[in-house]
Amino acid sequence: MRLLLVEDDLSLRGAMRDALTRLGYQVAGVGTAGDALNQLGADPPPEIILLDVGLPDQDGFEICEQIRRRSRIPIIMVSARIAVESRVKGLNAGADDYLAKPFKLAELVARIQSVARRTDWSTREEPSPESRSVKRVGPLVVDPNARTVTVHGAPKSLTRKEFDVLNLLAGRPGEVFRREEIIGQVWRSGGEGGERTLEVHIASLRTKLGVRDLIETARGIGYRVTTG
Ligand code: CA
């Protein structure tokens, strides 16, 4: 598997590259956001990106969003900033998983394997027809093509991940989605802290949509959009 390792700390990058290469990964290492973006066009392109948050030329969260706009290659953010807000920010920026420094090699490899397992390479570039269709549930209208949401005709401003969660739930109204399923579909990863991240997004969605009970909790299982 081809990894793109974006890390400006030369000794850490060297150690990671050596260790991962010994395990059979093909590792391309770069030290700046600019070089990382250039590598997206490599032939063949990287399959998973390990992205340091603290880079010299650009903030890691920003580059994460930039990569996401151009590519769906899975991203694992690697950072010494371990606060929950920072992890949520990384996931919101489009990262698939988040690893705190310092980490053990075994954990890094487990994250890489986990992200790889959850990545359906064959369909990554082709969203399912269901995910693209306009959904109407009671007062709610979700339009995935325009990425707009209205409630009783009033537009609601959602973050990218909030939209993805709502679009998924609204695709099958009344049906309970298991938490792991939502996390797997929206973040394409079940990384540590995923359930807490999902709770944060659901709480924010409920506030923004302003309709009581539109998103219902199935205790201990997951969530569903109610048909009213
Ligand atoms: Ca750094």
Side-chain angles (χ1 to χ4, degrees), residues 64-207:
C64 189
E65 285 181 351
Q66 282 186 24
I67 293 173
R68 232 347 123 251
R69 280 199 287 274
R70 292 167 50 168
S71 154
R72 303 181 73 176
I73 300 171
I75 299 169
I76 301 175
M77 295 204 83
V78 183
S79 170
R81 305 183 209 169
I82 53 169
V84 169
E85 303 78 60
S86 182
R87 302 165 75 107
V88 171
K89 195 175 168 191
L91 295 170
N92 271 335
D96 295 84
D97 206 347
Y98 201 100
L99 180 63
K101 285 180 184 172
F103 54 83
K104 294 259 192 321
L105 178 65
E107 185 179 11
L108 173 63
V109 171
R111 298 284 169 129
I112 292 171
Q113 289 174 342
S114 156
V115 166
R117 261 198 313 276
R118 287 161 203 279
T119 301
D120 183 350
W121 309 102
S122 62
T123 60
R124 283 191 81 72
E125 305 305 324
E126 273 301 310
S128 68
E130 187 182 64
S131 74
R132 279 178 302 190
S133 64
V134 177
K135 291 119 190 142
R136 294 167 210 278
V137 187
L140 172 73
V141 179
V142 181
D143 182 346
N145 304 301
R147 289 190 77 83
T148 56
V149 170
T150 59
V151 175
H152 292 297
K156 304 290 173 182
S157 173
L158 306 184
T159 67
R160 176 195 168 95
K161 292 298 184 188
E162 286 165 0
F163 181 90
D164 289 345
V165 169
L166 185 63
N167 187 41
L168 178 68
L169 296 181
R172 284 179 264 152
E175 187 175 316
V176 174
F177 285 72
R178 286 170 37 248
R179 284 188 297 249
E180 312 85 80
E181 183 182 359
I182 302 169
I183 294 164
Q185 295 257 341
V186 173
W187 283 274
R188 298 185 296 280
S189 154
E192 189 193 332
E195 296 206 355
R196 175 77 189 122
T197 304
L198 176 59
E199 279 173 29
V200 170
H201 282 72
I202 293 284
S204 174
L205 265 175
R206 283 175 170 151
T207 305

Side-chain angles (χ1 to χ4, degrees), residues 7-9 52 54-55 101:
E7 170 62 67
D8 63 317
D9 179 331
D52 176 29
L55 292 170
K101 285 180 184 172

